[in-house]
Amino acid sequence: MSEIKLIALDLDGTLLTSDKKISERNMEALLAARQKGIKIVLTTGRPLKAMEFFLRELGTDERDDEYTITFNGGLVQKNTGEILDKTVFSLDDVARIFEETEKLNLPLDAISEGIVYQIQSDQESLYAQFNPALTFESVAFDALSSQNTYNKCVTAYPQEPLDEAIKKISPELFDQYEIFKSRELLLEWSPKNVHKATGLEKLISHLGLSPSQVMACGDEANDLSMIKWAGLGVAMKNAVELVREVADVVTPMTNDEDAVAWAIENYVLKEF
């Protein structure tokens, strides 16, 4: 195995505990890795605005030589906010997805940078519960601007009706877009070929690294691509079965039991 130079970390269900904190042991392992010159790259579906607190905790916020991948790979940026690569939806894309969610009686939110446009419908979106730090605006679909670009769309809804509705999504939409769950109550819609592995591929090209030098840690379906792609793919014990199946390593403990620290201690910090 090549020496790890970059650690890509999902947040919810991976680095963060159930109460959305970075544990002391995880923080110590991350700081020890950084002291070895290893890049710590938070790789998430969230926008940068929803990550600021964690980047400050890690000491990587507003740094020109530190990087974050947001919107599930749709935005690759320096922690100063400078954008290295960006892939977005047009309003026509949002319109097609909204047509589908209306047919399936699901809500839809369209996200443009730090603003979440909650498109008015008969179903209530639960997305504000996940990311209260973001700015939410309730709008009629016709009020969305064609001048805006949209990073992704989300459907946040109770799990049972959401899972039933997912089975009925028109098959051609899976050809046109990336559609996957990132949490039990959250379905994400991204531009085609936007996922965490493509975001990481663009970043390592900028940094002059290879996939073999990357360790990726995750737990949900939106982490699947980067765990398959990375030189060392690590699934949390609490990961969904599909992710555990493709991982090189499954941690013996969950995200609430310092699983990320265990992976870093055993595969990055340990001298072989």
Side-chain angles (χ1 to χ4, degrees):
M1 186 179 74
S2 297
E3 185 179 0
I4 299 298
K5 298 288 188 183
L6 187 152
I7 301 172
L9 294 170
D10 171 57
L11 285 177
D12 299 293
T14 302
L15 177 60
L16 303 184
T17 57
S18 296
D19 57 358
K20 308 303 179 192
K21 291 183 169 61
I22 301 176
S23 72
E24 186 176 342
R25 183 180 168 195
N26 279 352
M27 184 62 76
E28 287 174 356
L30 291 170
L31 294 178
R34 284 193 65 213
Q35 285 169 359
K36 288 186 66 173
I38 295 164
K39 295 290 183 195
I40 306 298
V41 179
L42 301 185
T43 307
T44 175
R46 302 181 185 208
L48 194 64
K49 184 175 170 57
M51 316 261 296
E52 290 169 350
F53 175 76
F54 301 116
L55 296 176
R56 267 198 306 277
E57 273 199 301
L58 290 168
T60 63
D61 60 317
E62 299 183 1
R63 288 189 54 145
D64 192 60
D65 60 346
E66 301 288 352
Y67 306 85
T68 301
I69 292 173
T70 54
F71 297 114
N72 292 309
L75 199 56
V76 182
Q77 58 200 136
K78 295 182 178 182
N79 288 357
T80 55
E82 180 186 338
I83 294 170
L84 302 178
D85 190 272
K86 182 177 184 177
T87 309
V88 293
F89 280 142
S90 68
L91 182 59
D92 286 345
D93 294 310
V94 178
R96 176 65 188 92
I97 296 166
F98 182 60
E99 177 188 357
E100 191 75 7
T101 55
E102 283 291 274
K103 185 179 78 177
L104 297 172
N105 293 313
L106 295 172
L108 189 72
D109 296 353
I111 303 171
S112 181
E113 306 304 337
I115 298 177
V116 181
Y117 294 100
Q118 296 201 296
I119 305 172
Q120 293 164 3
S121 74
D122 293 336
Q123 312 306 324
E124 182 183 356
S125 170
L126 303 177
Y127 193 57
Q129 297 177 18
F130 297 135
N131 284 305
L134 300 178
T135 301
F136 289 82
E137 292 185 15
S138 175
V139 296
F141 177 79
D142 292 345
L144 288 175
S145 172
S146 61
Q147 302 305 306
N148 283 351
T149 56
Y150 300 89
N151 301 92
K152 69 173 182 177
C153 294
V154 297
T155 296
Y157 205 57
Q159 182 179 4
E160 194 170 319
L162 177 60
D163 286 347
E164 283 303 308
I166 288 170
K167 298 173 187 173
K168 301 172 187 172
I169 293 173
S170 302
E172 69 267 17
L173 262 68
F174 288 96
D175 295 329
Q176 295 174 33
Y177 306 115
E178 301 293 338
I179 306 170
F180 45 75
K181 287 186 77 176
S182 60
R183 302 190 214 177
E184 290 177 344
L185 311 184
L186 191 60
L187 181 69
E188 307 218 12
W189 311 75
S190 293
K192 193 64 181 175
N193 295 321
V194 165
H195 43 77
K196 293 186 178 184
T198 54
L200 283 165
E201 187 69 56
K202 290 167 182 173
L203 178 58
I204 66 166
S205 175
H206 174 77
L207 294 174
L209 300 177
S210 70
S212 65
Q213 295 172 299
V214 177
M215 178 171 87
C217 301
D219 72 303
E220 268 290 355
N222 64 328
D223 301 315
L224 185 68
S225 70
M226 72 171 180
I227 286 176
K228 288 172 69 174
W229 167 89
L232 184 65
V234 180
M236 304 295 100
K237 181 181 180 181
N238 52 283
V240 296
E241 184 177 355
L242 198 60
V243 170
R244 292 199 307 271
E245 285 175 355
V246 303
D248 300 301
V249 175
V250 178
T251 64
M253 65 277 290
T254 69
N255 63 304
D256 284 319
E257 300 167 315
D258 309 313
V260 164
W262 179 89
I264 293 172
E265 289 161 5
N266 282 277
Y267 292 95
V268 179
L269 302 178
K270 185 180 284 187
E271 298 293 335
F272 291 97

